[in-house]
Amino acid sequence: MKILVPVKRVVDYNVKVRVKADGTGIETAGVKMSMNPFDEIGVEEAVRLKEKGAATEIVAVSMGVPQCAETIRTALAMGADRGILVETDAELQPLAVAKLLKAIAEKEQPKLIILGKQAIDDDMNATGQMLAALLGWPQGTFASKITIEGDGITVTREVDGGLETVALTLPAIITTDLRLNEPRYASLPNIMKARKKPIDNLKPADLGVDPKPRLTTVKVAEPPKRKAGVKVGSVAELVEKLKTEAKVI
Amino acid sequence: MTDTDILDSIDAFLARDVVPHVHRLEHDDIYPEAIVERMRELGLFGATIAASFGGLGLPCATYADIVERIARVWMSLSGIFNSHLIMSAIVQRNGTEAQKRAFLPRFASAELRGGLALTEPDCGTDLQAIRVTARRDGDAYVVNGTKTWISNGIHGSCFALLVKTDPNAEPRHRGMSMLLAEKGAGFTVSRKLEKLGYKGIDSAELVFDDYRVPVDRLIGGIEGRGLQHALSGLELGRINVAARGVGIAQAALDESLRYAQVRRTFGVPIAQHQAIQLKLADMATRTEAARLLVRRAAELYDRGDRCDMEAGMAKLFATEAALENATEAMRVHGGYGYSTEFPIERLYRDAPLLVIGEGTNELQRIIIARQLVARNPV
């Protein structure tokens, strides 16, 4: 079984992001970039499936600027077998990414595509669902546990108020939630080996997709600064303040 | 290709598997068994061993960055693979082909771990004064004597052992040789040495009593080259100790910078007081200067150029920076710096080792001065 794992290059989760002065986006110049943490969970799950013998090949895909190759290398160091980089300077929105992934899926014929449930930069939470719709494949989103049995896959999903278990027929789409696994960090020998693994370089046109944005970003602004809180001496005082000052009860 | 991917993995390892345990292991002086296992899986024991012998073949510059990062979190951990890799470098540079093939892959996989056995109770920096003897007897050397302060002495199993094969030779170094000594009959660890800092890692006294080493374990196969072999590992050794110094200096700065913005006196964070600002500025400048000296020495080493003077300068400056920054960090932290609940006192206990070990800083100055004169004759 072949698994496709899309990985997105995002601002590292440790970085305190700053909004650009002109309000068009966030500052990325000189900022540490890493693999989207939810995608790391996806790579880890794919590698575990391969280690268990349930998968034979893992292909990591990334899209965007040439440096996305570094993100693919991270996936290769964790255990993916080869990479595909779709290089473009265009701003990529979920629908464009889903269309590009659909074209790659048709070419590669994977049985399973494991995506992060969302990327920590724009928090869109859309690509996996759009891809499932475009391909007409079943989807198990927000997965916290997956089990492959024959031609099917059982997915435990984290939904509001509890867990939902769904059974899907392969090929299928999975999007990962935080509790699916704890991703490994690559060993140094595997990092060295990953430098020799192949990465195919494509352009959106090679896949017959026009990645032009369909949404316009109007403005990016910082959230308002939080004001200092107050300490209350008793529950009675708290209730009083909630009534008279905050006016929420 | 840059090695940021390697450093990212080191950071992930430190954050997940080391940071949560340092305080307990250090204070109880416990050998970090589980962490060493993770270091083995990470591949650290083969970091600078050539790829053709199963190592990673990393350049010294990357290696120095790795050592800095690890020392920033817990210096003792770097000791567990540093002397192991110096032993490996000595074999890689001076060993016979058969020795390289027999030992380097096992060093790289950490199947055999160990370090250097140079220092004796009566001699450290003056290596030519060693007294451990190796007498040829048929196809073996018979070793007798005592080594001390041997890192990894208890948990390691193979050591680059400096001996006198001819105790009467003049000049003395012509009678010195180096053996690859695996633990066996006649090779015992007499005790674990207690230390001010550098806890967790085993520093031991090794006793040799009619311990037999096959003659094919004589590094390079020729007697009388022992001192040269030991010295050939020292450039890497000094760069490595210098990198530890940068790590300690940076850790002291990191802690101070954080604390100075949180701790308030007279209504403002202490980082707004000039007295603290002057300290922070000097600490940061020293750290950065030390890092650049280490990088410079490592680059020369990677080019294959002679770098004993540059490595000595890096060692001297970076380890003094570590000591000064640790002391200044304690002043910035006040009582909290003196408390064993915070990491400053550990940096304060670890830093002095660096100015003493791997050739005292007094000796580094002499080496630097001699090189200055030798390179600039009138």
Side-chain angles (χ1 to χ4, degrees):
Chain A
M1 180 174 82
K2 187 193 281 186
I3 304 178
L4 198 67
V5 193
V7 292
K8 185 174 184 183
R9 182 173 184 266
V10 299
V11 172
D12 187 85
Y13 72 97
N14 274 317
V15 172
K16 223 172 168 182
V17 293
R18 279 176 319 173
V19 173
K20 279 186 190 162
D22 62 3
T24 56
I26 58 152
E27 199 59 70
T28 52
V31 169
K32 181 175 161 64
M33 306 292 281
S34 303
M35 188 191 297
N36 175 37
F38 291 106
D39 299 347
E40 266 187 317
I41 294 171
V43 176
E44 176 65 33
E45 198 62 21
V47 174
R48 288 186 190 185
L49 287 172
K50 194 179 170 197
E51 285 170 348
K52 274 192 281 192
T56 48
E57 191 186 23
I58 302 167
V59 183
V61 188
S62 193
M63 300 173 181
V65 294
Q67 292 91 319
C68 291
E70 294 165 15
T71 312
I72 295 176
R73 288 278 170 222
T74 306
L76 297 177
M78 288 173 72
D81 298 289
R82 62 187 171 89
I84 298 173
L85 170 63
V86 182
E87 207 182 306
T88 173
D89 291 332
E91 181 201 338
L92 290 175
Q93 294 179 347
L95 184 58
V97 175
K99 285 180 183 171
L100 289 164
L101 285 174
K102 173 176 183 268
I104 290 171
E106 282 165 351
K107 211 168 109 187
E108 293 283 341
Q109 300 286 320
K111 280 278 189 200
L112 192 61
I113 305 179
I114 309 179
L115 304 92
K117 71 168 179 179
Q118 65 197 63
I120 60 167
D121 48 5
D122 54 21
D123 279 340
M124 291 287 231
N125 192 343
T127 306
Q129 294 86 333
M130 286 177 169
L131 178 60
L134 290 175
L135 283 168
W137 291 6
Q139 55 182 305
T141 51
F142 319 131
S144 64
K145 184 167 187 270
I146 66 172
T147 318
I148 293 189
E149 287 146 359
D151 261 355
I153 181 164
T154 309
V155 182
T156 305
R157 307 179 59 234
E158 299 206 350
V159 294
D160 286 349
L163 299 174
E164 179 187 54
T165 304
V166 295
L168 315 176
T169 311
L170 296 173
I173 307 281
I174 303 291
T175 75
T176 63
D177 215 319
L178 263 186
R179 278 151 292 268
L180 182 57
N181 60 51
E182 187 186 24
R184 72 194 65 193
Y185 47 82
S187 74
L188 308 192
N190 285 343
I191 290 173
M192 304 303 269
K193 276 181 216 148
R195 291 179 181 178
K196 297 196 182 89
K197 291 181 181 176
I199 297 180
D200 283 340
N201 216 317
L202 302 176
K203 295 270 190 286
D206 300 332
L207 296 165
V209 174
D210 173 12
K212 198 171 77 217
R214 300 293 203 275
L215 306 171
T216 314
T217 303
V218 180
K219 195 176 90 177
V220 177
E222 279 196 41
K225 287 250 184 311
R226 280 181 62 176
K227 291 197 201 102
V230 277
K231 276 188 185 163
V232 292
S234 65
V235 173
E237 192 189 337
L238 172 67
V239 171
E240 176 63 23
K241 279 186 185 295
L242 288 174
K243 274 183 185 159
T244 57
E245 288 181 29
K247 297 195 172 85
V248 290
I249 54 172
Chain B
M1 169 125 23
T2 59
D3 287 325
T4 49
D5 45 0
I6 287 178
L7 298 176
D8 284 348
S9 256
I10 297 291
D11 284 342
F13 152 70
L14 290 168
R16 192 185 297 177
D17 294 326
V18 181
V19 169
H21 310 292
V22 177
H23 193 77
R24 181 181 57 86
L25 292 171
E26 207 276 340
H27 279 257
D28 295 344
D29 198 7
I30 296 170
Y31 185 76
E33 205 109 29
I35 297 178
V36 172
E37 180 53 25
R38 293 298 297 131
M39 284 160 60
R40 194 187 63 72
E41 288 165 9
L42 255 179
L44 280 175
F45 291 98
T48 51
I49 298 174
S52 52
F53 291 110
L56 299 173
L58 293 181
C60 183
T62 304
Y63 176 61
D65 282 342
I66 293 175
V67 173
E68 180 195 324
R69 279 168 199 244
I70 291 176
R72 201 163 160 176
V73 176
W74 190 16
M75 187 178 87
S76 298
L77 292 184
S78 66
I80 293 171
F81 63 96
N82 287 164
S83 58
H84 170 86
L85 286 174
I86 296 168
M87 165 176 72
S88 305
I90 289 173
V91 173
Q92 191 163 308
R93 281 188 165 192
N94 311 295
T96 62
E97 271 311 303
Q99 286 167 348
K100 290 184 206 176
R101 277 200 304 272
F103 284 92
L104 291 177
R106 290 199 287 159
F107 289 163
S109 68
E111 177 197 330
L112 274 185
R113 288 204 300 105
L116 299 178
L118 310 181
T119 302
E120 295 183 7
D122 292 321
C123 96
T125 296
D126 174 21
L127 281 179
Q128 297 196 47
I130 61 162
R131 289 200 208 154
V132 169
T133 58
R135 180 175 47 81
R136 178 82 186 250
D137 176 29
D139 58 359
Y141 287 100
V142 180
V143 181
N144 281 286
T146 304
K147 293 284 179 185
T148 195
W149 290 116
I150 307 308
S151 296
N152 304 315
I154 295 169
H155 294 271
S157 55
C158 183
F159 298 85
L161 175 65
L162 190 64
V163 296
K164 283 258 168 96
T165 36
D166 179 1
N168 303 317
E170 276 301 332
R172 294 179 297 171
H173 68 82
R174 292 228 179 110
M176 295 170 75
S177 301
M178 201 173 240
L179 303 171
L180 273 172
E182 284 183 76
K183 280 185 178 164
F187 179 160
T188 50
V189 179
S190 62
R191 66 193 181 106
K192 176 186 164 195
L193 303 170
E194 301 297 329
K195 307 177 292 268
L196 171 68
Y198 205 39
K199 304 263 187 189
I201 181 170
D202 44 329
S203 304
E205 198 165 86
L206 309 181
V207 175
F208 302 94
D209 182 13
D210 285 338
Y211 163 64
R212 293 179 76 85
V213 186
V215 286
D216 63 5
R217 302 292 168 84
L218 171 68
I219 295 178
I222 301 168
E223 288 184 12
R225 303 248 170 107
L227 186 66
Q228 281 160 263
H229 296 343
L231 296 178
S232 77
L234 286 188
E235 286 177 346
L236 183 61
R238 284 180 194 143
I239 291 171
N240 154 36
V241 166
R244 288 192 207 176
V246 180
I248 297 277
Q250 183 70 50
L253 172 64
D254 291 343
E255 294 290 339
S256 301
L257 200 51
R258 187 165 38 231
Y259 184 76
Q261 294 177 74
V262 178
R263 170 77 174 185
R264 298 170 76 90
T265 61
F266 309 107
V268 293
I270 60 172
Q272 289 181 28
H273 298 311
Q274 275 191 348
I276 301 297
Q277 289 171 346
L278 299 181
K279 290 189 193 304
L280 293 176
D282 282 347
M283 290 168 80
T285 307
R286 270 196 292 269
T287 308
E288 189 62 15
R291 183 176 291 120
L292 293 175
L293 280 174
V294 173
R295 207 160 279 169
R296 159 87 180 143
E299 279 166 12
L300 290 174
Y301 185 91
D302 286 332
R303 287 214 304 254
D305 291 349
R306 179 169 182 167
C307 66
D308 52 349
M309 183 172 85
E310 291 77 4
M313 287 175 166
K315 195 273 181 186
L316 168 63
F317 190 86
T319 59
E320 295 291 346
L323 193 57
E324 286 173 59
N325 277 15
T327 310
E328 288 297 85
M330 191 165 284
R331 290 174 189 262
V332 170
H333 281 74
Y336 288 108
Y338 203 64
S339 158
T340 55
E341 288 175 28
F342 289 79
I344 302 304
E345 58 89 28
R346 168 163 58 86
L347 302 175
Y348 189 82
R349 287 184 286 109
D350 279 354
L353 169 72
L354 301 176
V355 306
I356 297 167
E358 202 67 32
T360 62
N361 279 2
E362 288 71 22
L363 183 80
Q364 301 302 332
R365 289 185 174 91
I366 293 167
I367 292 168
I368 293 164
R370 281 186 189 155
Q371 271 296 306
L372 281 175
V373 173
R375 292 188 194 184
N376 300 283
V378 181

